Amino acid sequence: MWEQRPVLYNCASKSYSDRNARTKALEEIAEAVGTTVSEVQKRIGTLRTQYTRHTKQPPSVSEWRKKTKRQEWVIRMLAFLAPYVKKRTSVSNFEINNSERWLDEVEGSVENDQRVDTFSQKRA
């Protein structure tokens, strides 16, 4: 049902921006399934999230696991979404140079604290 209504997933479609067309498609699905439009929207969002999560490459080889039957089913049934789902690359804002500077500052403050302690011990 979802696959036959590209207005719900093809953002290159002219009717994708048309709220009335999207609402009509959701209402058709809701009527065919016998549920509410909000439930259909929720289920579509959940399935799309599952599809992108299951097709995403894990960050390390140690996290590779065999897919469950349910996961394989989701990937197979929602394969029509593949051209429309963009994989975003992540960029870290954490720089190694900053962490080294932070570590130097922390070590420097520890050394200063120790110097203060030894200075106060000599005076006493």
Side-chain angles (χ1 to χ4, degrees), residues 48-92:
R48 184 181 175 106
T49 300
Q50 287 178 12
Y51 175 75
T52 55
R53 193 173 291 152
H54 298 323
T55 57
K56 184 172 67 170
Q57 185 74 8
S60 67
V61 177
S62 64
E63 293 182 26
W64 290 0
R65 293 180 231 150
K66 186 174 185 210
K67 305 274 188 219
T68 65
K69 288 183 180 188
R70 166 84 177 154
Q71 292 170 339
E72 289 174 354
W73 180 86
V74 168
I75 292 169
R76 191 175 55 253
M77 297 306 289
L78 301 180
F80 69 92
L81 291 176
Y84 308 104
V85 176
K86 292 183 182 178
K87 295 183 181 186
R88 299 180 186 171
T89 57
S90 62
V91 179
S92 174

Side-chain angles (χ1 to χ4, degrees), residues 15-115:
S15 58
Y16 183 79
S17 302
D18 184 2
R19 185 178 294 168
N20 294 330
R22 290 175 58 86
T23 303
K24 182 181 177 194
L26 289 169
E27 287 171 350
E28 290 171 358
I29 293 173
E31 186 178 324
V33 176
T35 188
T36 64
V37 172
S38 62
E39 284 296 317
V40 171
Q41 286 177 317
K42 181 179 175 182
R43 187 64 180 158
I44 284 175
T46 302
L47 286 170
R48 184 181 175 106
T49 300
Q50 287 178 12
Y51 175 75
T52 55
R53 193 173 291 152
H54 298 323
T55 57
K56 184 172 67 170
Q57 185 74 8
S60 67
V61 177
S62 64
E63 293 182 26
W64 290 0
R65 293 180 231 150
K66 186 174 185 210
K67 305 274 188 219
T68 65
K69 288 183 180 188
R70 166 84 177 154
Q71 292 170 339
E72 289 174 354
W73 180 86
V74 168
I75 292 169
R76 191 175 55 253
M77 297 306 289
L78 301 180
F80 69 92
L81 291 176
Y84 308 104
V85 176
K86 292 183 182 178
K87 295 183 181 186
R88 299 180 186 171
T89 57
S90 62
V91 179
S92 174
N93 61 357
F94 181 75
E95 295 178 19
I96 294 174
N97 295 339
N98 285 344
S99 66
E100 289 173 356
R101 276 188 245 140
W102 177 79
L103 186 59
D104 290 342
E105 289 174 12
V106 169
E107 287 174 348
S109 66
V110 169
E111 289 172 4
N112 289 340
D113 289 346
Q114 289 173 348
R115 286 185 203 139

